[in-house]
Amino acid sequence: MKILGIDPGLERIGFGLITHNTHKRYHALDWGVIQTSKADSDAKRLSGIYKALTSLLEDAKPDVVSIEQIFYCRNAKTIIPVTQARGVILMALHDAGMRYVEYTPMQVKLNMTGYGKATKQEIQQMVQQLLEMDELPRPDDAADGLALALSCAFEQGAISLLSPR
């Protein structure tokens, strides 16, 4: 099963694609960010997100997508553009006929570490360990995408942090 995790944003959309082999060992196939320019209009940035994500979905062919829910934000100036970007992402998923699941940041932290207030560093370390990566996944947005994909696998019972791999 291929799972694509998406961490929404307007400037950077983090993504991570994982799969498993017949031994139920999980591997990172791809991760990175979709970047937009602050110099562009919001409409151009949102259009670019849609096009880049559509291309990523066509190339990756995931079985399911895991996307972060927005549930809390301290800064109203930040929440509006992120929500707009998330809407475009959901539209791209719908247009591609993709099945998706949603997780709050706290759910991802709980799934990855057992602690709902885990730090970015702790999440990166757990993602590195679970995916047997040589280095910490970077940038943070991409690591969050991988964590979202792993959370989906964990929630579906595909892996367990408590059992040996």
Side-chain angles (χ1 to χ4, degrees):
M1 172 182 272
K2 282 188 189 176
I3 304 170
L4 178 65
I6 300 175
D7 180 30
L10 182 61
E11 186 174 345
R12 283 182 312 279
I13 297 88
F15 68 88
L17 180 67
I18 67 168
T19 191
H20 66 88
N21 62 21
T22 55
H23 302 293
K24 301 237 179 195
R25 295 187 84 168
Y26 282 75
H27 300 280
L29 295 176
D30 193 14
W31 65 94
V33 294
I34 297 168
Q35 185 87 33
T36 68
S37 172
K38 289 181 183 181
D40 291 336
S41 70
D42 285 353
K44 185 173 181 178
R45 294 170 87 178
L46 293 169
S47 176
I49 290 168
Y50 181 85
K51 290 174 186 172
L53 186 59
T54 298
S55 177
L56 177 63
L57 291 168
E58 288 172 2
D59 292 343
K61 296 180 180 30
D63 297 299
V64 65
V65 176
S66 175
I67 184 169
E68 187 175 271
Q69 278 184 337
I70 300 169
F71 74 103
Y72 174 77
C73 185
R74 293 182 193 139
N75 184 345
K77 290 181 182 180
T78 303
I79 191 76
I80 293 169
V82 172
T83 303
Q84 289 173 329
R86 189 173 182 281
V88 167
I89 292 165
L90 292 175
M91 185 173 67
L93 295 176
H94 172 78
D95 288 354
M98 293 301 313
R99 182 171 71 95
Y100 68 91
V101 293
E102 301 174 79
Y103 297 98
T104 66
M106 184 175 281
Q107 286 174 305
V108 173
K109 291 174 182 183
L110 281 168
N111 285 339
M112 291 296 94
T113 68
Y115 179 59
K117 295 184 180 181
T119 66
K120 289 256 188 208
Q121 179 76 17
E122 290 168 327
I123 298 299
Q124 284 177 302
Q125 289 170 342
M126 186 57 76
V127 168
Q128 178 186 13
Q129 180 183 348
L130 287 170
L131 294 175
E132 300 178 351
M133 300 172 83
D134 293 333
E135 297 179 7
L136 286 178
R138 297 192 193 280
D140 291 352
D141 304 290
D144 290 346
L146 290 167
L148 280 152
L150 284 166
S151 283
C152 179
F154 178 76
E155 288 283 320
Q156 293 185 12
I159 63 171
S160 172
L161 296 175
L162 303 176
S163 63
R165 301 180 329 128

